[in-house]
Amino acid sequence: MIHVAGRIPEEFISEVRNNVNIVDVISQYVSLEKKGKDYIGLCPFHQEKTPSFTVNEEKQFFKCFGCGKGGNVFKFLMYKDNLTFPESVERVAEFAHIPMPTGYGKGSAPKLSPIMRMHQDATEFYHRVLLTTKAGERGMQYAKKRELDHDTLEHFKIGYAPKQDNVLITYLRGKGYQDDDLAKSGLFVQSKDGRLFDRFRDRLMFPLDNENGKTIGFSGRRISNDKTEAKYMNSPETEIFTKSKVLFHFAEAKRAARSEGHLILYEGYMDVIAAYKAGVKSGIASMGTSLTDDQIYMLRRVTPNIIVNYDGDDPGVHAEERAARMFNKDGNFNLGIVVLPEKLDPDEYVRKYGAEKYREEVKGALTPTDFFLKRLAQKYNLDNDREKITYLNEAIKEISQVRNPVEQDMYVEKLARSAGVSIESLKANLARERRKNNRARSHMRQYRDYSVPTDTSIPESAPITEEVPQQTEAQQHPCQTRLLYLFIHAAQAQKYLLEGHFHFPDKDFESLANLWIKYQETHDNPQIDGFLDFIPEQLQGIIVDAELAEMPKDFTIQEVDEYVQSLQKRSIYSRLNELKNQLQDAKRKQDVQEILKITQEIIGLKRILG
């Protein structure tokens, strides 16, 4: 029941807890905005459109009112990074720059699953082969050709997979991994007779990390000129690697986003690396697939400021268009779009024009509307009046999608100037287009309100919907929550309830009252945030809800009496319902003695109610 805190001394746990601000830790995962006393953001544990994830700095607790998860800083990391309690203490201590007590910590590093461990070992192995072995010289020559310097190789943990088909398998078997786990890892291919061979051979290896910087897959770049082999080879999907939920360099870029003020989305990881060499540290890329809703949500949690810089060729610009539409559909982004000249990709551009010029291109990112209008202008011959009219109609449709009226005005003026037509005529067209949009929207609303779906199943790709917030414990049990809060925070209320032999009707609340008494007896300075680590997980939600319910600490004995009486009445009514059912059973069985006994109890309870 009590953690014994993974045998880490309790004074140390308190020291760690008291030396960090939960807001600073959670800000590494969620973009938080101050609202009154609290900070709010998008929940990292479930997808939502309206932020319901709240961090209370004063109490040092977090709570999501959408999915119900809540707790202190240790609990947050336990949920987010799937850590045990001792691992979470160690992570927070690291954050606070407090060394672990002798005999704890790195020696008992977090227990990763065999497949996770295997990927960390493989990363190290490939990296060592590239930097220190004769077999790796071939990879190193290619890295030099691509201008990957030592700092870049270290930062991205780049490695080399030798030509032979049994190098990694031999190494990992030597480290004691079982064939069952090796087969599931995605690092190997299996022959018809069940033998395992290295999947990646003669490739420069780029580790793909999860949100915490732990390797969960690889992408291998072919370095031979053999065109029959794929240029890039990615890990297959495994229990730890889902392509649509991974962004290359995300763990590092999140940190850089705080100083650079944005994240930059690229098409491939070589572009991220080129940008990194040019001094842009906040680059990320989706892994060879089109951008997904999951990835967009990951970005939104970190920052609303996103710059998209795909390749400058036609497919790249088409992909940029699609990405911009996806971000616009979400509507919560401040989006910039970079289209590099001469159809160059970022890697080529940096090599041709240098880092300084590239950073200027990023600063000059277009708004999505500017980007779409430029694209539109390229589709028409604007010297031909008929095509010009079509272009202006299409451009006004685009501008009508913009939500901000000031922005709309700005684009209309720009369009009028460039096309040599009057602002008034374009504004008249814009007003007509807006009316059309409003009619379509209200028609859709009516359709939604009046149509009854015949198929009640939810399609797999259903969009995020606004869910009904879960009722908190404080809302479900207001009287018991208030009494428990006073029991913990007001010694006089606790004494009064104990002397009156009061018991909480709900067993969880009763357990918490007993645990608090034990906690008081064994701690010189009992604090609520320390108590949270002392109690079983299933009871922690009640404490968090009570703490975040903004209750006053002052009270009167009369208030306590009213709550106690209210709970007693409720339990009497509940008992009366039970007895009525029992009475019907007894009458059906014609059990005279039982009827008499139940009737007497009912009369007694009704007398108490008055």
Side-chain angles (χ1 to χ4, degrees), residues 8 80 85-86 95 125 145 248 272 367 389 451 551 556 578:
I8 299 170
K80 187 72 196 81
F85 181 74
F95 183 86
F125 175 75
K145 196 169 88 186
F248 179 72
V272 174
T367 66
I389 289 165
S451 66
M551 294 188 197
T556 62
E578 275 175 38

Side-chain angles (χ1 to χ4, degrees), residues 170-240:
T170 308
Y171 174 72
L172 291 178
R173 277 186 180 137
K175 287 187 78 83
Y177 290 105
Q178 300 304 304
D179 274 20
D180 277 1
D181 290 326
L182 292 164
K184 282 190 295 193
S185 71
L187 294 169
F188 307 99
V189 286
Q190 205 159 12
S191 64
K192 284 201 173 83
D193 59 4
R195 285 180 304 154
L196 295 173
F197 298 97
D198 294 3
R199 178 181 295 277
F200 299 99
R201 301 194 283 278
D202 194 26
R203 287 179 181 271
L204 206 61
M205 298 297 289
F206 298 85
L208 310 176
D209 292 351
N210 65 13
E211 204 172 333
N212 307 313
K214 291 265 183 280
T215 303
I216 51 174
F218 288 93
S219 188
R221 169 68 163 88
R222 185 190 75 212
I223 65 174
S224 75
N225 293 320
D226 182 357
K227 300 283 192 292
T228 61
E229 298 224 339
K231 192 175 181 182
Y232 292 104
M233 178 192 273
N234 288 341
S235 289
E237 302 226 330
T238 63
E239 63 189 56
I240 61 171

Side-chain angles (χ1 to χ4, degrees), residues 203-330:
R203 287 179 181 271
L204 206 61
M205 298 297 289
F206 298 85
L208 310 176
D209 292 351
N210 65 13
E211 204 172 333
N212 307 313
K214 291 265 183 280
T215 303
I216 51 174
F218 288 93
S219 188
R221 169 68 163 88
R222 185 190 75 212
I223 65 174
S224 75
N225 293 320
D226 182 357
K227 300 283 192 292
T228 61
E229 298 224 339
K231 192 175 181 182
Y232 292 104
M233 178 192 273
N234 288 341
S235 289
E237 302 226 330
T238 63
E239 63 189 56
I240 61 171
F241 177 63
T242 309
K243 243 189 325 196
S244 65
K245 294 181 179 173
V246 174
L247 287 162
F248 179 72
H249 198 236
F250 189 51
E252 298 287 342
K254 276 193 307 183
R255 285 196 275 279
R258 283 200 277 284
S259 55
E260 292 184 18
H262 53 234
L263 286 168
I264 306 187
L265 180 64
Y266 295 100
E267 228 171 328
Y269 50 78
M270 286 312 287
D271 299 325
V272 174
I273 292 168
Y276 179 82
K277 288 187 335 202
V280 174
K281 307 289 167 78
S282 59
I284 45 172
S286 57
M287 290 317 312
T289 55
S290 298
L291 197 63
T292 66
D293 287 331
D294 282 323
Q295 289 164 337
I296 283 183
Y297 190 74
M298 284 165 74
L299 300 179
R300 181 66 191 87
R301 265 186 14 234
V302 175
T303 175
N305 305 322
I306 304 292
I307 292 171
V308 182
N309 179 193
Y310 285 174
D311 295 357
D313 59 9
D314 290 341
V317 178
H318 278 303
E320 233 165 5
E321 208 170 293
R322 180 185 174 274
R325 297 272 183 223
M326 284 182 79
F327 282 113
N328 276 355
K329 189 180 76 181
D330 183 282

